[in-house]
Amino acid sequence: MNDLRALSIFTLRLRHERHVVHARQRARDIAALLGFEHQEQIRLATAASELARNAFRYATDGVVEFLVRKQPHPLFVISVSDSGPGIANLAEVLDGRYVSRTGLGKGIVGTKRLMDSFDITSSAAGTRVEAGKLLPNTAPAVDEVRIRKIVEELSRSGAIDPFDEVERQNQELLRTLAELREKQDQLAELNRELEDTNRGVVALYAELDQNADDLRRVSDLKTSFLSNLSHEFRTPLNSITSLCRMLMSRSDGDLSTEQEKQVGFIQRSAADLSELVDDLLDLAKVEAGKTDIRTKNFEVQDLFGALRGALKPLLTGNSLELIFEAEPNLPSLYTDEGKVSQILRNLISNALKFTRRGHVRLTAQSEGGGSIVFRVEDTGIGIAPEDQEKIFQEFVQIDSEIQSKVKGTGLGLPLSKRLAELLGGTISVQSEVGIGSTFQVTLPILYGGSGPRPVNDLQAVLSSEEGPIILFVEDNVETSFVHASSLKTSDYRPIFAMNIPEARVAMRSLKPAAVALDRFLDGEDCLFYIQELKAGGYDGPIVVVSVVDDEQSALEAGADRFLVKPIAPYKLTITLKELLEGEPAHTVLLADDDEVTRYILGEALSRLGYNVVEAQNGREAIQMMEKHILTGVFLDVIMPGLTGLEVLREMRRNSYTATIPVIVHTSKELTPQEMDELTNLGAVFYAKREFSSREDSSRLQEILASAGIGL
């Protein structure tokens, strides 16, 4: 051996079939002397027998060598070499794909699975296989002294009787079968235990489901009770408030000073109770999942203005300063304005109650990740660390000197937390006793996560990379998603306005290259906005889209193009390209009764820059040829009414369509006669099985070029 790290143990030449048996027996004996356990001894003996049998049967001058390599890890190696013709299909054999009548290759693959290392080289000069097994960790160290002892032990074992080896092999097989039967019994016992465990788990799940149902019923009862109680309280409270207002207006006579004071107490108590009822009803709705989210675009400054007006009465007779500060150039919010206002109003009202002197400040600033942060900071009494989690629990009020002097329900903060979570945000508090508190509300700018870019994100649009801006005035979110997806592969930058007021905001901030206007928004016909745009100086193209197929009205109102919903993705892209680039696209007709084929082929053609029109049958195809100037036609052979061949014959008889290039795109196996007719009529054949929407566009371009259809 050239490898100095290898220690040779035994070498055997394969000159007779009994030598195969000899190789098996020596492999097992050496494995036992090296410290391998019984099962590993059998595996190594089987591997040596299989490799030796292959070398003896299919080659000549076979040699089996047993050795140990010490580095990098002690490895028992069985090396079998021969001078045969080699293995012609070695790669297929190793992959398990080679099938031979003699069984060649199955033993090699099986032996490879038994060993830790396996290397085989084969050529016309012969084959060499080296299969290795790592020595057990518990085996004694292997050195030259130990190898000599093993060789001496092997020499004392004497000659081998093949019949004894076969008998021994049978005994090993019986022991293996017995072990397999024992493992099978253990597996059956384990299965029985698993079945018992599964029954216990099923019973536990049933109990958990029952408990969950009980909790759900209790929660539903609580919600129903709060809702009914709130509604029952509301009527008498409204009556009390109305009567107090009548008395204070002195419509039925004057009041004494004491009476006026008493009526004022009644009125304030009714207002506090009404606030409690409102909070209870809101909580009941949130818990029942019946709270509606009414999303809209709004500015933070407008929100602050409304809050300033609503909270001004709370400052009467109070020396506190209420400050509103918003970071400049904040993006607009697209969420429920009423609920955001309710959250901030509750936090500010709370801060005003528990602040004797100083100020209450509301700030707003944008945060990375598409969020905006509101902070309500006060210089009040503060909240102890152990109480900061309690304040978000229902009906909890913290004992303090001021608490006994102010009215509260203990529902404002829990409700604010629920509403913030409902809008996809969070609320937290930082506070120090005697210093003050800061409540932080983090809300996503766009409610519901990602979606079409709304008109509120104007700053992002203006600061993004260059490209024509398309303003979509569309109130349907799903349709907006489709439009956004249609333009993903183009240079156009879409923004979306939900209504005409939002569109006006967008037009003040940017000048879009084109406007796509949904005709009906909130039940109103919006064709009037076309004239408003033009009167305001907008001279770009306007596309009207609608589910109502009324092209004439849209064009008469001043639109440049009309599209019927639903709009095919490629149709929208091609239309914008025509309007903005000023050159009409080459138009191709797809005549096929299969909608899927029209969609896939239409997408591929639109990506190549073609405008696509469609026909579902032969008659409709001929009508479309009269309406459009066509660059080319794709024809299916089998269609309702007229077949593709009949349409082609009709085209060639008509001087107007006689020269239009035609590609027959069909899955039908055409006969030689049909192919000859297609060729004589100047058509190109393109089988459907050759086309895939995922393939490179070069093949489709080749077909278009061969038919004479080019951009």
Side-chain angles (χ1 to χ4, degrees):
M1 297 294 295
N2 295 327
D3 189 349
L4 297 178
R5 296 172 298 175
L7 300 173
S8 180
I9 300 175
F10 185 79
T11 302
L12 173 68
R13 288 195 171 276
L14 302 172
R15 301 186 183 280
H16 194 276
E17 191 164 1
R18 65 175 178 273
H19 293 152
V20 175
V21 180
H22 192 181
R24 175 185 176 88
Q25 197 271 342
R26 285 307 184 199
R28 183 179 54 246
D29 290 345
I30 295 171
L33 292 170
L34 287 173
F36 284 96
E37 63 178 16
H38 181 69
Q39 285 296 331
E40 291 297 336
Q41 295 172 26
I42 296 175
R43 292 190 182 96
L44 289 166
T46 302
S49 174
E50 188 61 36
L51 294 176
R53 182 179 292 105
N54 279 344
F56 177 77
R57 180 178 299 177
Y58 301 110
T60 58
D61 296 330
V63 176
V64 180
E65 184 178 7
F66 302 98
L67 57 137
V68 172
R69 287 204 174 97
K70 298 178 64 176
Q71 294 179 355
H73 303 287
L75 188 74
F76 174 42
V77 177
I78 302 170
S79 175
V80 180
S81 58
D82 63 60
S83 303
I87 304 174
N89 306 92
L90 182 59
E92 294 180 20
V93 169
L94 293 176
D95 289 342
R97 294 181 285 111
Y98 183 72
V99 179
S100 172
R101 294 177 182 176
T102 64
L104 179 64
K106 298 299 183 183
I108 291 177
V109 175
T111 302
K112 182 179 179 182
R113 292 196 184 105
L114 292 175
M115 309 303 283
D116 293 327
S117 68
F118 189 88
D119 181 65
I120 181 170
T121 57
S122 185
S123 66
T127 301
R128 181 180 183 84
V129 183
E130 285 196 357
K133 194 75 173 177
L134 291 171
L135 267 65
N137 294 330
T138 57
V142 177
D143 53 19
E144 293 183 1
V145 174
R146 179 163 175 74
I147 292 298
R148 281 198 297 272
K149 290 182 178 179
I150 293 174
V151 171
E152 292 173 359
E153 184 71 22
L154 291 175
S155 63
R156 286 196 296 269
S157 62
I160 299 170
D161 187 343
F163 294 104
D164 291 341
E165 178 60 26
V166 170
E167 184 178 356
R168 186 172 180 177
Q169 188 173 348
N170 287 338
Q171 291 172 355
E172 290 173 352
L173 180 60
L174 289 173
R175 280 197 297 271
T176 302
L177 290 173
E179 290 175 1
L180 287 174
R181 179 169 296 175
E182 182 180 355
K183 290 181 188 286
Q184 188 175 8
D185 292 340
Q186 292 174 355
L187 182 60
E189 179 63 26
L190 181 59
N191 283 335
R192 284 192 293 272
E193 292 178 4
L194 285 175
E195 288 176 3
D196 293 339
T197 303
N198 284 340
R199 281 192 289 271
V201 170
V202 170
L204 180 59
Y205 273 130
E207 186 176 347
L208 289 174
D209 287 341
Q210 182 62 45
N211 291 340
D213 289 340
D214 293 341
L215 287 173
R216 200 176 298 114
R217 281 195 295 271
V218 170
S219 178
D220 291 343
L221 287 172
K222 173 191 169 187
T223 301
S224 178
F225 171 75
L226 291 176
S227 179
N228 293 332
L229 182 67
S230 301
H231 284 295
E232 291 299 324
F233 276 174
R234 203 161 251 176
T235 299
L237 280 173
N238 289 337
S239 300
I240 293 171
T241 302
S242 299
L243 290 171
C244 289
R245 195 178 297 116
M246 289 175 59
L247 291 171
M248 294 295 281
S249 66
R250 294 169 173 78
S251 58
D252 292 326
D254 202 2
L255 297 176
S256 65
T257 304
E258 189 63 26
Q259 288 173 329
E260 184 175 356
K261 184 177 179 181
Q262 293 168 357
V263 173
F265 285 146
I266 296 171
Q267 191 173 33
R268 282 193 293 275
S269 297
D272 291 340
L273 189 54
S274 181
E275 181 184 351
L276 171 62
V277 168
D278 289 339
D279 288 345
L280 281 171
L281 191 57
D282 286 337
L283 272 174
K285 286 182 178 179
V286 172
E287 290 183 353
K290 296 180 179 178
T291 303
D292 295 327
I293 304 297
R294 295 181 173 85
T295 54
K296 60 178 291 189
N297 282 291
F298 61 93
E299 303 293 333
V300 173
Q301 290 290 2
D302 295 337
L303 174 66
F304 278 14
L307 285 171
R308 189 181 291 110
L311 296 169
K312 188 175 181 180
L314 298 180
L315 296 173
T316 304
N318 198 326
S319 60
L320 291 175
E321 185 179 6
L322 181 57
I323 305 168
F324 291 84
E325 294 177 353
E327 183 182 85
N329 300 321
L330 280 175
S332 301
L333 283 169
Y334 182 72
T335 186
D336 192 318
E337 182 180 11
K339 289 178 176 54
V340 176
S341 176
Q342 187 175 359
I343 294 168
L344 298 178
R345 193 167 59 247
N346 284 346
L347 295 178
I348 295 173
S349 299
N350 235 37
L352 291 173
K353 288 179 184 178
F354 296 99
T355 304
R356 290 174 173 174
R357 60 181 66 88
H359 66 267
V360 174
R361 177 183 283 108
L362 171 61
T363 62
Q365 65 183 60
S366 60
E367 188 177 81
S371 298
I372 192 164
V373 177
F374 297 96
R375 290 185 178 89
V376 177
E377 172 201 343
D378 65 57
T379 55
I381 61 174
I383 307 166
E386 63 271 16
D387 295 327
Q388 290 179 14
E389 289 296 325
K390 297 178 184 178
I391 60 175
F392 292 107
Q393 299 173 11
E394 296 169 19
F395 301 106
V396 170
Q397 293 182 325
I398 307 303
D399 291 334
S400 67
E401 181 185 349
I402 295 182
Q403 181 67 62
S404 60
K405 298 179 181 180
V406 298
K407 301 294 183 183
T409 64
L411 293 175
L413 290 177
L415 178 59
S416 297
K417 188 173 188 296
R418 299 281 185 88
L419 291 176
E421 292 170 350
L422 191 64
L423 297 178
T426 60
I427 185 169
S428 60
V429 62
Q430 291 181 340
S431 185
E432 189 174 345
V433 176
I435 302 299
S437 305
T438 299
F439 285 83
Q440 177 174 304
V441 181
T442 304
L443 296 174
I445 292 173
L446 178 65
Y447 171 76
S450 61
R453 177 179 289 160
V455 72
N456 62 305
D457 205 8
L458 296 180
Q459 281 302 121
V461 174
L462 293 171
S463 62
S464 62
E465 59 188 43
E466 294 183 358
I469 295 171
I470 312 298
L471 173 61
F472 288 90
V473 189
E474 171 64 62
D475 61 351
N476 184 277
V477 177
E478 288 76 14
T479 302
S480 297
F481 269 107
V482 173
H483 293 337
S485 300
S486 302
L487 301 183
K488 274 184 179 178
T489 57
S490 71
D491 295 330
Y492 302 129
R493 294 181 290 164
I495 63 172
F496 295 84
M498 297 284 287
N499 47 50
I500 298 299
E502 290 183 11
R504 291 172 180 145
V505 172
M507 295 301 294
R508 287 197 298 268
S509 304
L510 49 84
K511 186 173 182 179
V515 175
L517 173 67
D518 187 4
R519 178 170 177 177
F520 296 99
L521 299 171
D522 297 327
E524 180 183 16
D525 192 336
C526 295
L527 290 179
F528 71 89
Y529 187 56
I530 298 176
Q531 292 304 316
E532 183 179 322
L533 285 172
K534 294 185 176 182
Y538 178 72
D539 57 0
I542 300 172
V543 180
V544 172
V545 296
S546 177
V547 292
V548 179
D549 191 357
D550 186 5
E551 182 177 10
Q552 184 176 354
S553 297
L555 298 179
E556 289 176 354
D560 297 278
R561 193 65 60 87
F562 176 80
L563 297 174
V564 180
K565 289 184 179 181
I567 308 171
Y570 60 83
K571 186 67 174 178
L572 177 63
T573 307
I574 290 295
T575 300
L576 291 173
K577 184 176 180 181
E578 286 185 29
L579 292 172
L580 296 177
E581 296 183 9
E583 295 183 4
H586 292 259
T587 301
V588 174
L589 170 64
L590 299 184
D592 198 310
D593 60 336
D594 182 46
E595 183 179 0
V596 176
T597 298
R598 296 199 308 271
Y599 178 84
I600 295 175
L601 185 56
E603 284 280 354
L605 289 169
S606 68
R607 285 194 294 271
L608 296 177
Y610 292 93
N611 183 30
V612 179
V613 293
E614 300 178 4
Q616 301 181 35
N617 53 60
R619 294 289 181 192
E620 189 175 334
I622 292 175
Q623 294 171 2
M624 296 296 285
M625 293 176 197
E626 297 173 356
K627 294 181 180 179
H628 298 275
I629 300 175
L630 299 176
T631 305
V633 176
F634 278 78
L635 270 180
D636 189 12
V637 171
I638 302 175
M639 291 187 295
L642 296 177
T643 66
L645 286 172
E646 290 171 337
V647 172
L648 181 56
R649 296 187 196 110
E650 181 67 25
M651 288 178 64
R652 296 310 185 222
R653 286 195 293 267
N654 188 328
S655 58
Y656 179 72
T657 59
T659 59
I660 297 177
V662 174
I663 297 173
V664 173
H665 187 55
T666 184
S667 56
K668 181 180 184 295
E669 292 293 335
L670 299 180
T671 64
Q673 293 79 8
E674 290 173 329
M675 290 294 294
D676 289 341
E677 184 176 5
L678 288 176
T679 303
N680 294 333
L681 292 172
V684 173
F685 178 70
Y686 183 30
K688 286 185 179 180
R689 64 174 177 274
E690 296 182 31
F691 175 74
S692 169
S693 62
R694 301 180 186 274
E695 71 175 352
D696 188 83
S697 59
S698 58
R699 175 58 180 158
L700 180 57
Q701 288 176 310
E702 289 175 7
I703 294 296
L704 291 167
S706 65
I709 305 172
L711 294 176

